Amino acid sequence: MIKAVRGTRDLLPPDTALWNFVEAAVREVFRAYNFQEIRTPIFEETALFARGVGEDTDIVAKEMYTWEDRSRAASEKGQSLTLRPEATAGIVRAYIENKMWDRGLNKLYLIGPMFRRERPQKGRYRQFYQIDAEVIGPASAGSDSPARDAEILEMLATLLDRLGITDWNLELNSVGCPNDRAKFNEALRQALEPVKDKMCADCQRRAVTNPLRVFDCKVPEDQPIIEKLPRISQFLDEPCRKHFEAVKEILRAVGVDFRENDRLVRGLDYYTRTAFEFTHGALGAQNAILGGGRYDGLSEALGGPAAPGIGFAIGEDRLVMSLKETAEGVLRNPEVYVAPMAAMNVEAARLARELRRHDLVVELGDDAFRLKKSFEAATRVGAKYILIVGENEVKAGAFALKNLATGEQIAVARAELAEAIRSGRV
Ligand code: HAM
């Protein structure tokens, strides 16, 4: 039997209703903050991610699905392509390619699948979904302002509240600007020199190529060493420190709780200044429900003009997982099951059509079913009522409507059926 590839999965009903519920709430909340949707391709040139996300990151070094294109056109032949592991690099590419600086400040969001060859486990998949949002534009449009950072974080708090998710923590840090990081990396290199041989193979490599990435290490034995390393907070210059203070001041003023965590450096190289993650208690090891931060130099690194930006990506799979406990009331079962008696499929189809026009969720049975089977089917789909459609009922213009939970039954005139079902008075 052919099965779904390891790390991929089918999303089935009724769970898909939760996904739709989340996406509808996202679109509504984002709309209130004037974000608009962007859709970019699912694959891009490999170089985009290598340059954007960074060669030394786990994502680029180990996790990308990359292949050589077999196009016949000489110009494309052998081109290295990659399934997008994240959305930010593609959105910034689109910003540059479409000269979107002409629009001033761009507030964009994207919902879609991402691909990383990670070891699958609870909350970690090889095809997973992100809800990504980015604010990007020329500095003259205010894209570098701490007000943008705070607005995004406040929007996320609003969204999670709206979804009924209360058990979250916002971890906040500033990773400074490239100058601060150069000094920090140098200090890390020195601090790691005497101890790196005791660390895992990845950290030994990171200590040489990109010491900051040591903070991505999950190996338990390495943690006591990492705990004693210098922190980025000691290396922030005055403008970065002020920027960070301004973000925190607004957050306090609008009542968004956060916890400062100067170990948080995030697993992608493009970050500058504000970096953050929201974690959720019920998720276990993969507890980061979303992550993001500022990337003031990314556009230039990709060959574009200066364009400060900030954004985040929510792991939609994880968001839906954390929602399950609070998800009651999201699912809409059929309000009514229309059960045709023998040779009544035509009449039943007519009636179902009338009821659906009144925006009711209607499940339609089959006249080959005996009454008992219709009741069983109605119960299985979770219908609230069953409506019996027999010859006598059609002639009389009145139908038996039965509440499946209470067993109560009344006769209702055709014209009043929709209202009777909606009002729930039976
Ligand atoms: P990231 O931290 O790599 O950031 O991913 C963001 C979120 O995607 C994570 O917090 C997690 O919820 C989810 N996620 C990541 N990998 C997986 C996986 N294998 N399975 C399930 N969920 C996963 C970024 O991708 C940045 N582009 C975010 C960003 C946008 N920064 C600025 N703008």
Side-chain angles (χ1 to χ4, degrees):
M1 191 183 65
I2 298 175
K3 292 189 176 165
V5 174
R6 199 164 115 85
T8 73
R9 62 195 181 133
D10 305 307
L11 302 175
L12 305 176
D15 280 4
T16 40
L18 287 178
W19 288 72
N20 285 327
F21 168 71
V22 163
E23 288 169 21
V26 160
R27 288 177 198 280
E28 223 174 285
V29 171
F30 287 7
R31 187 69 218 128
Y33 290 77
N34 197 28
F35 278 75
Q36 291 179 292
E37 186 171 13
I38 181 171
R39 300 187 189 196
T40 66
I42 280 177
F43 60 90
E44 300 263 6
E45 276 189 46
T46 306
L48 174 69
F49 304 113
R51 269 203 262 161
V53 177
E55 301 271 9
D56 296 316
T57 59
D58 281 353
I59 295 177
V60 173
K62 304 184 204 164
E63 297 169 358
M64 295 205 300
Y65 286 94
T66 296
W67 70 98
E68 210 173 87
D69 195 42
R70 286 191 295 190
S71 166
R72 270 193 239 147
S75 59
E76 293 161 14
K77 200 171 176 154
Q79 198 178 29
S80 182
L81 303 176
T82 292
L83 288 180
R84 63 181 183 199
E86 61 104 50
T88 313
I91 293 175
V92 176
R93 180 206 43 72
Y95 172 83
I96 299 168
E97 191 169 338
N98 298 291
K99 300 190 170 49
M100 291 170 78
W101 49 85
D102 285 346
R103 305 164 184 232
L105 195 66
N106 291 267
K107 297 169 103 175
L108 306 165
Y109 74 91
L110 179 153
I111 302 175
M114 308 293 152
F115 306 85
R116 297 183 192 176
R117 193 186 287 101
E118 293 193 82
R119 196 168 48 78
Q121 63 181 81
K122 182 174 174 239
R124 190 157 77 190
Y125 308 95
R126 291 179 165 179
Q127 173 171 339
F128 59 99
Y129 291 80
Q130 281 189 345
I131 298 166
D132 182 284
E134 312 289 350
V135 179
I136 182 169
S140 59
S143 56
D144 57 353
S145 164
R148 301 283 69 77
D149 309 41
E151 183 183 36
I152 270 203
L153 291 165
E154 188 265 319
M155 176 170 87
L156 282 165
T158 300
L159 175 66
L160 295 178
D161 282 352
R162 168 74 176 275
L163 291 170
I165 297 173
T166 48
D167 185 16
W168 52 264
N169 288 304
L170 163 55
E171 311 241 340
L172 192 62
N173 194 19
S174 173
V175 296
C177 42
N179 268 342
D180 305 339
R181 255 210 317 285
K183 286 186 212 139
F184 180 46
N185 261 327
E186 195 40 49
L188 283 177
R189 202 168 273 133
Q190 281 175 22
L192 285 165
E193 187 48 44
V195 289
K196 69 174 196 287
D197 294 345
K198 298 191 203 100
M199 302 181 81
C200 70
D202 277 342
C203 281
Q204 295 190 17
R205 177 176 51 80
R206 291 164 175 148
V208 181
T209 56
N210 194 349
L212 182 85
R213 298 266 66 95
V214 165
F215 287 97
D216 299 341
C217 178
K218 303 273 172 349
V219 177
E221 293 77 34
D222 288 3
Q223 299 311 309
I225 299 177
I226 293 167
E227 204 48 49
K228 292 202 201 76
L229 292 173
R231 303 300 171 91
I232 182 72
S233 52
Q234 304 161 246
F235 296 85
L236 297 186
D237 66 13
E238 198 48 28
C240 288
R241 204 180 295 279
K242 277 202 174 133
H243 192 276
F244 193 32
E245 285 309 319
V247 175
K248 289 186 284 186
E249 189 190 343
I250 303 177
L251 289 180
R252 287 192 201 100
V254 296
V256 174
D257 291 337
F258 61 88
R259 199 175 73 91
E260 279 185 63
N261 174 3
D262 61 4
R263 258 195 72 162
L264 180 79
V265 298
R266 308 269 302 125
L268 303 90
D269 275 349
Y270 50 59
Y271 289 113
T272 53
R273 296 192 165 173
T274 311
F276 57 87
E277 273 175 14
F278 282 63
T279 57
H280 187 266
L283 286 176
Q286 302 302 316
N287 67 353
I289 205 167
L290 68 93
R294 218 168 234 296
Y295 45 85
D296 291 346
L298 181 55
S299 171
E300 285 154 294
L302 296 175
I310 179 164
F312 61 82
I314 303 171
E316 193 174 0
D317 305 74
R318 295 184 193 174
L319 188 65
V320 169
M321 272 166 70
S322 59
L323 192 76
K324 273 198 179 157
E325 314 126 49
T326 56
E328 268 168 49
V330 172
L331 307 180
R332 191 171 171 198
N333 286 339
E335 270 103 25
V336 61
Y337 184 98
V338 175
M341 309 283 277
M344 294 305 283
N345 268 351
V346 172
E347 286 302 332
R350 253 189 216 135
L351 206 57
R353 183 169 163 87
E354 283 169 32
L355 296 174
R356 287 172 179 147
R357 280 196 180 144
H358 284 89
D359 198 29
L360 292 168
V361 181
V362 178
E363 184 59 271
L364 179 56
D366 193 290
D367 62 11
F369 292 2
R370 310 282 281 271
L371 205 52
K372 183 162 173 278
K373 188 165 170 184
S374 291
F375 270 89
E376 282 166 7
T379 306
R380 173 169 301 154
V381 297
K384 185 163 181 208
Y385 297 101
I386 188 166
L387 182 71
I388 315 291
V389 184
E391 218 178 314
N392 293 340
E393 281 86 351
V394 173
K395 272 193 201 132
F399 296 83
L401 183 67
K402 183 167 186 155
N403 183 318
L404 283 158
T406 64
E408 203 182 326
Q409 181 172 323
I410 54 167
V412 186
R414 188 170 194 130
E416 282 150 29
L417 268 175
E419 179 49 29
I421 292 164
R422 193 188 318 282
S423 69
R425 65 186 147 84
V426 188

